[in-house]
Amino acid sequence: MFVRKMTPSQSSLFGEIDDLQDLTFIERPIRRSLKTAEEIDKLTVDEDLNDIERAVYLLSSGEDVQQASVIINLPILVRQNPAETFRRVVPKVREVLHVAGADMQLAAAGSFLTVLQDDIVLIQTHTHSILQIVLLNLDHRDTVVSNAWLETLLSAIDALPKDTIRQEILSPLLSKHQLSQSVPARLASCRILGKVVGKFESSIVKKDLLPLIRSLCQDVEYEVRACMCRQLENITRGIGLDHTKVEVLPELVELAQDEASTVRLAAFDTIINLLEMFDSDDRTCVIFPLVKAFCEKCFKGDEAVLASLSYQYGKLCHGLSESFTDEQHLWFLEFYKKLCCLGLQHENGHCESQPYPLELENKYALVRRNCAYNFPAIVLYADPNHFLSELYRTFSSLCHDPEISVRRTAAGGFHEVVKLLGPNVHYIHKEIIALLQDDSLEVLDALLNNIQETLELATSRGEGAGPESKQVNIPDLVPALVAAEQKTASSLHWRVHEKLLQCYSCLPRVVSGDQIYFRFFQRMFSIITTNNVLPVQREAVRTLCVFLRCNRKQEQRQEIISKIKQELAQGRSYWNRLRYLDLCEITIDLFSKSYFCKHFLIPALELVNDPVANVRYKLCYMLPKLRSTIKATDKHLLQQLEFCVRKLLCREKDKDVVVTLRKTVLELDKMNITEPYHKRHERELLDQKKEKEETLLLEMELLERQQSEAKLAGDKQSEKKQRDSKSGLSGSKGMSGSTSGATSSSSAGKEMRRAKLARSRSLSGHPTTPKMTNPDKSLKVKDSGSCPGSGKSAMLPLNDDNLRPHHFNVASSISPTPSSSSMPVLIRSNTSSSVDHRSNGNKDTQSRKLSVQRKSNSFGMQSGRE
């Protein structure tokens, strides 16, 4: 017999079959009954017993699960019959707890806490019996159980009266602080003291409890000292300000210098929490030296305490800032800068981590992360006006830290820094771009939590900037946003991608409309049509609608709407057509009814002929919303909607679509009947507001277009005036050359240049500049040739348009200012003759001058035209 060689696929198949056969050997037989007859008999209880009797029976001879059930339901028994429960059931519970396991102990602790807090114990003897059980189990050998009973006692103290606390809790507590007691018992005493101190007057606390507190603060075990130190905050608030300086502060100073780092850390945290309880002298003379020595000692070698110090540093600086001198203020600021760079080395402006052991490196990273968390508080401490000189390099270091957790924390608090900087927010524009372009999506995700507020504040010019505040440009912002979107799209973190697209809705308030149109619109279409994640697609649809709503150019809006109809409403993929219906739902909320009906309603109704049942199903679901957008006066659209419904009723064969369609028809019939008037009125007012906004948008577009056209026409007119002024200047040069009678020779080039120079000098130094007292008055010009036989003078205004083309077209390009030296000589001579009437002997000379000047003006006019 020959064995044929198996193919790889056949071998893998047989291998899976062998594995399945192996599983049959390890399969265990299934028991038909979960309990045997004997077990069922043990669990059976007489039905004639009442609740109390049944509880006593189960606690006496029941199984563990039955006893646990009774203990859990103990509050119910107390509410129903408190007297019998405390007389018969609670003693049985106490007996069971002596030998009960941890689960039953925890259940009992919870039940007794409920009994004490629910005010269902009315007799003091009942409270005494419960507290005896609680105090007895505080010394349980299992730490978890003892802590559970301690939490029960601490929570019950708030609900217990003062006398009960004094008799039942404080009396046994005074005997448990001795060194002969165990460490857990002394730790419980510390926590109980911190809880009960607020129940009594300061005199009682000082007399009865302070000796016990001082004894525990000086305990031989560092755990007890640390625990008591953390309770000093509650004790200080209980005894008041008068006794704090004398009784508590010396203990804190001693504990802050303890040999154990845990005790020093507890003392440091307590001091920070009690800063408002100390006066200015105590802060300056006691607290500041103590904290300074603590910081220096931690920085040199106590990394564990340094992490807690860095976390509390912002609170510490603000608590002591009012008592600081300038030198002390600067010391704390410089120490913070050292903490921010702990474990780093700066080379060529970049932060690089130094080679440390992994554990130490993690501790240093935690310190820098806490510094990033406290950075907004330090900005407020150092004054935002000094940010550039004091903190910018530190902030840049945190934003470029090699550890992701540090950069993520800096990104999470970035918006707080932006708020504090105000008009100086441009200092950190580069850091915004750096965090947007960060390699880690965790950093980007933290930045996106408040990116809308961050960008709006970062692109504003501060208070009072008005509507132009959004014109401040952040360099490389748009490329950074595009790169961030592409990076999130290529990753598997689609929720970050969705969040980023949701944040894009603030872009119309941050960047210009042209940038959105050319850089983001096409990308939104690409996401809608190619992305495979439905929430991302829908968020892209919403962002596209927001961009369309805020676009101010009619041409761009029409192009976007036509592309929506072409790629979505008429798209080849039914997935795109479904997204068009999603878009319709969003546009109904964003746009007015008239705008939606004009641009989006008809393509949606045409989907009634869609070959895919899912599209028709969604259309049926949306019919009531589409109907709500049609006004009662628009009969044509109502007929089209009715035709769409009838077509579905006649032709639809899909069962799900038919069921949805029937529900929709019933809803359409009830729309105008069931809707209250006030809701319909509110909806109409909101729609009118949307229409006004859309009309205002069109008016703004028209106004901007007119302003741009007027600006363009003004630029052209100014250019034309400049050209005309140049030509008028050349004409005036020719006029001055003709009056002077100096003719240039064309044979020698040097003589020509000298003659032109001489003419320009003679023009600039022309001595016939008129002095006019009132330029608005019309000028009297005596023209004997124009009016024969008339000796009167004609009144010609200075800006008369009829005067310019007949006599001196050159003046059309010159300003009509009376003091201009290039004003035509005709006006100047007539003005002087009208003002100064001299003797008759000068009339002949004046007439000869007038004729010569008219000739020169005509010559200047011809040269200007040429």
Side-chain angles (χ1 to χ4, degrees), residues 20-57:
L20 292 175
Q21 291 176 352
D22 294 338
L23 291 175
T24 59
F25 292 102
I26 63 174
E27 184 177 358
R28 296 179 180 178
I30 300 175
R31 294 175 58 183
R32 293 184 179 181
S33 177
L34 297 177
K35 299 292 183 181
T36 63
E38 296 178 359
E39 292 174 342
I40 293 175
D41 292 337
K42 289 182 180 180
L43 296 174
T44 303
V45 181
D46 189 2
E47 296 180 359
D48 296 333
L49 298 177
N50 58 27
D51 293 339
I52 300 296
E53 294 174 350
R54 185 184 300 109
V56 173
Y57 173 77

Side-chain angles (χ1 to χ4, degrees), residues 741-776:
T743 58
S744 62
S745 175
S746 61
S747 60
K750 290 184 179 181
E751 294 178 358
M752 183 186 301
R753 288 194 295 271
R754 289 175 182 176
K756 290 182 179 179
L757 181 60
R759 284 197 300 272
S760 64
R761 289 177 179 176
S762 64
L763 178 63
S764 62
H766 205 281
T768 57
T769 303
K771 296 181 180 180
M772 302 178 65
T773 58
N774 191 358
D776 296 333

Side-chain angles (χ1 to χ4, degrees), residues 126-408:
H126 298 166
T127 305
H128 174 74
S129 61
I130 294 178
L131 289 178
Q132 288 297 320
I133 298 174
V134 173
L135 294 174
L136 182 63
N137 289 278
L138 284 178
D139 298 331
H140 197 276
R141 59 183 179 275
D142 191 344
T143 307
V144 177
V145 174
S146 62
N147 288 333
W149 284 108
L150 179 60
E151 295 296 333
T152 299
L153 179 61
L154 295 176
S155 301
I157 286 175
D158 295 330
L160 295 176
K162 186 187 303 184
D163 296 336
T164 303
I165 295 174
R166 189 180 184 89
Q167 295 176 6
E168 304 292 340
I169 298 176
L170 285 184
S171 297
L173 181 65
L174 295 176
S175 62
K176 285 191 175 183
H177 76 284
Q178 304 295 333
L179 295 178
S180 59
Q181 298 291 329
S182 63
V183 173
R186 300 204 298 273
L187 290 174
S189 300
C190 295
R191 298 190 61 184
I192 294 172
L193 280 173
K195 190 70 175 181
V196 302
V197 71
K199 288 281 187 176
F200 300 98
E201 293 80 6
S202 59
S203 58
I204 298 177
V205 173
K206 183 180 179 181
K207 179 181 178 182
D208 298 336
L209 300 182
L210 278 181
L212 177 59
I213 292 170
R214 282 194 292 265
S215 174
L216 291 172
C217 287
Q218 299 172 2
D219 196 276
V220 294
E221 296 291 337
Y222 75 93
E223 297 176 355
V224 178
R225 297 197 303 272
C227 184
M228 192 66 250
C229 183
R230 293 192 180 276
Q231 302 302 321
L232 287 180
E233 179 182 356
N234 297 329
I235 294 170
T236 301
R237 300 184 189 281
I239 63 177
L241 297 175
D242 297 335
H243 303 289
T244 299
K245 187 174 184 179
V246 180
E247 303 293 343
V248 178
L249 188 57
E251 297 294 335
L252 278 176
V253 172
E254 185 177 354
L255 291 171
Q257 300 172 354
D258 196 274
E259 58 182 7
S261 61
T262 306
V263 180
R264 295 198 304 270
L265 179 59
F268 176 74
D269 293 339
T270 304
I271 288 172
I272 293 177
N273 295 330
L274 292 175
L275 285 176
E276 70 274 7
M277 303 290 291
F278 304 125
D279 55 17
S280 180
D281 294 336
D282 291 336
R283 294 178 188 176
T284 305
C285 302
V286 180
I287 303 299
F288 173 74
L290 187 66
V291 171
K292 183 178 179 181
F294 181 81
C295 294
E296 291 176 345
K297 188 173 182 180
C298 292
F299 193 79
K300 291 180 180 179
D302 200 348
E303 294 83 7
V305 179
L306 199 61
S308 179
L309 169 64
S310 61
Y311 183 76
Q312 298 271 18
Y313 202 80
K315 190 176 181 180
L316 172 66
C317 291
H318 281 279
L320 295 176
S321 59
E322 297 180 358
S323 305
F324 278 165
T325 62
D326 293 340
E327 183 180 358
Q328 294 171 346
H329 187 279
L330 183 61
W331 187 91
F332 271 91
L333 187 60
E334 293 298 327
F335 186 80
Y336 174 78
K337 294 179 184 180
K338 293 179 181 178
L339 292 178
C340 292
C341 299
L342 188 65
L344 299 178
Q345 58 182 358
H346 293 268
E347 293 183 359
N348 299 326
H350 297 283
C351 299
E352 296 180 359
S353 58
Q354 296 181 5
Y356 290 108
L358 182 60
E359 183 179 359
L360 188 59
E361 186 177 349
N362 292 334
K363 290 181 179 179
Y364 287 159
L366 178 60
V367 170
R368 299 197 304 272
R369 187 178 70 187
N370 292 337
C371 290
Y373 170 77
N374 282 293
F375 189 82
I378 299 300
V379 172
L380 192 61
Y381 168 77
D383 191 355
N385 295 324
H386 301 154
F387 176 82
L388 187 62
S389 59
E390 297 291 344
L391 290 173
Y392 173 72
R393 294 190 61 176
T394 302
F395 185 62
S396 179
S397 173
L398 293 173
C399 292
H400 294 86
D401 195 274
E403 286 293 329
I404 295 176
S405 60
V406 179
R407 303 197 304 272
R408 183 180 66 241

Side-chain angles (χ1 to χ4, degrees), residues 352-551:
E352 296 180 359
S353 58
Q354 296 181 5
Y356 290 108
L358 182 60
E359 183 179 359
L360 188 59
E361 186 177 349
N362 292 334
K363 290 181 179 179
Y364 287 159
L366 178 60
V367 170
R368 299 197 304 272
R369 187 178 70 187
N370 292 337
C371 290
Y373 170 77
N374 282 293
F375 189 82
I378 299 300
V379 172
L380 192 61
Y381 168 77
D383 191 355
N385 295 324
H386 301 154
F387 176 82
L388 187 62
S389 59
E390 297 291 344
L391 290 173
Y392 173 72
R393 294 190 61 176
T394 302
F395 185 62
S396 179
S397 173
L398 293 173
C399 292
H400 294 86
D401 195 274
E403 286 293 329
I404 295 176
S405 60
V406 179
R407 303 197 304 272
R408 183 180 66 241
T409 307
F414 201 95
H415 65 290
E416 297 290 343
V417 180
V418 170
K419 288 180 185 178
L420 293 172
L421 289 182
N424 297 326
V425 70
H426 58 277
Y427 294 155
I428 57 175
H429 280 178
K430 293 181 180 179
E431 280 64 39
I432 296 178
I433 304 302
L435 293 176
L436 283 172
Q437 295 176 343
D438 198 276
D439 296 333
S440 174
L441 287 180
E442 295 180 16
V443 178
L444 180 61
D445 188 18
L447 184 66
L448 290 179
N449 291 330
N450 299 281
I451 190 63
Q452 298 189 31
E453 183 181 9
T454 300
L455 291 180
E456 290 176 8
L457 292 174
T459 53
S460 64
R461 295 179 179 175
E463 298 180 357
E468 297 296 328
S469 60
K470 69 177 184 179
Q471 299 298 324
V472 178
N473 183 31
I474 300 180
D476 300 328
L477 175 61
V478 173
L481 289 172
V482 172
E485 191 277 323
Q486 292 176 352
K487 180 172 61 179
T488 55
S490 60
S491 68
L492 298 177
H493 298 78
W494 63 267
R495 288 182 176 84
V496 181
H497 193 194
E498 181 188 12
K499 186 188 294 187
L500 178 61
L501 294 177
Q502 184 179 3
C503 296
Y504 271 6
S505 59
C506 75
L507 290 183
R509 301 185 296 272
V510 174
V511 299
S512 64
D514 289 336
Q515 287 179 314
I516 293 176
Y517 179 75
F518 291 108
R519 298 300 298 272
F520 294 99
F521 266 115
Q522 184 57 41
R523 182 57 186 166
M524 294 300 107
F525 279 108
S526 177
I527 294 172
I528 295 170
T529 55
T530 61
N531 198 280
N532 296 325
V533 182
L534 182 59
V536 174
Q537 284 185 324
R538 288 180 173 172
E539 198 58 49
V541 169
R542 179 175 295 277
T543 304
L544 177 65
C545 293
V546 173
F547 288 167
L548 178 62
R549 180 72 174 81
C550 300
N551 192 286

Side-chain angles (χ1 to χ4, degrees), residues 541-542 544-546 548-549 561 564 579-597 599-601 604 622 626 629 687 690 694:
V541 169
R542 179 175 295 277
L544 177 65
C545 293
V546 173
L548 178 62
R549 180 72 174 81
I561 292 172
I564 288 174
R579 297 294 76 75
Y580 178 78
L581 293 177
D582 291 336
L583 183 140
C584 289
E585 287 185 324
I586 298 170
T587 51
I588 289 173
D589 297 333
L590 290 179
F591 293 89
S592 64
K593 295 179 180 179
S594 58
Y595 194 91
F596 174 79
C597 293
H599 297 286
F600 300 102
L601 179 61
M622 285 187 58
L626 299 179
T629 61
D687 186 69
K690 293 178 182 178
E694 292 164 0

